[in-house]
PDB file of all heavy atoms in Angstrom:
ATOM      1  N   LEU A  52      32.984  -9.405-133.697  1.00 95.00           N
ATOM      2  CA  LEU A  52      32.589  -8.655-132.517  1.00 95.00           C
ATOM      3  C   LEU A  52      31.401  -7.764-132.841  1.00 95.00           C
ATOM      4  O   LEU A  52      31.232  -7.330-133.979  1.00 95.00           O
ATOM      5  CB  LEU A  52      33.757  -7.806-132.008  1.00 95.00           C
ATOM      6  CG  LEU A  52      34.830  -8.550-131.204  1.00 95.00           C
ATOM      7  CD1 LEU A  52      35.650  -9.477-132.069  1.00 95.00           C
ATOM      8  CD2 LEU A  52      35.742  -7.562-130.511  1.00 95.00           C
ATOM      9  N   VAL A  64      45.136  13.553-127.692  1.00 93.00           N
ATOM     10  CA  VAL A  64      46.395  13.799-128.396  1.00 93.00           C
ATOM     11  C   VAL A  64      46.376  15.230-128.931  1.00 93.00           C
ATOM     12  O   VAL A  64      45.490  15.597-129.694  1.00 93.00           O
ATOM     13  CB  VAL A  64      46.593  12.786-129.546  1.00 93.00           C
ATOM     14  CG1 VAL A  64      47.889  13.073-130.290  1.00 93.00           C
ATOM     15  CG2 VAL A  64      46.563  11.357-129.012  1.00 93.00           C
ATOM     16  N   MET A  79      42.179   9.196-128.293  1.00 95.00           N
ATOM     17  CA  MET A  79      42.536   7.783-128.457  1.00 95.00           C
ATOM     18  C   MET A  79      42.121   7.065-127.175  1.00 95.00           C
ATOM     19  O   MET A  79      42.330   7.584-126.074  1.00 95.00           O
ATOM     20  CB  MET A  79      44.033   7.607-128.685  1.00 95.00           C
ATOM     21  CG  MET A  79      44.505   8.085-130.041  1.00 95.00           C
ATOM     22  SD  MET A  79      43.716   7.245-131.442  1.00 95.00           S
ATOM     23  CE  MET A  79      44.279   5.567-131.233  1.00 95.00           C
ATOM     24  N   ILE A 123      44.611   7.282-152.534  1.00 75.00           N
ATOM     25  CA  ILE A 123      43.780   6.126-152.191  1.00 75.00           C
ATOM     26  C   ILE A 123      43.345   6.274-150.734  1.00 75.00           C
ATOM     27  O   ILE A 123      44.167   6.410-149.836  1.00 75.00           O
ATOM     28  CB  ILE A 123      44.548   4.808-152.397  1.00 75.00           C
ATOM     29  CG1 ILE A 123      44.908   4.655-153.877  1.00 75.00           C
ATOM     30  CG2 ILE A 123      43.726   3.624-151.898  1.00 75.00           C
ATOM     31  CD1 ILE A 123      45.859   3.522-154.168  1.00 75.00           C
ATOM     32  N   LEU A 132      30.376   7.862-129.425  1.00 98.00           N
ATOM     33  CA  LEU A 132      29.623   7.719-128.168  1.00 98.00           C
ATOM     34  C   LEU A 132      28.204   7.294-128.476  1.00 98.00           C
ATOM     35  O   LEU A 132      27.598   7.761-129.440  1.00 98.00           O
ATOM     36  CB  LEU A 132      29.621   9.043-127.401  1.00 98.00           C
ATOM     37  CG  LEU A 132      30.961   9.521-126.864  1.00 98.00           C
ATOM     38  CD1 LEU A 132      30.794  10.887-126.197  1.00 98.00           C
ATOM     39  CD2 LEU A 132      31.557   8.532-125.885  1.00 98.00           C
TER      40      LEU A 132
END
Side-chain angles (χ1 to χ4, degrees):
L52 282 70
V64 179
M79 289 301 296
I123 297 170
L132 293 177

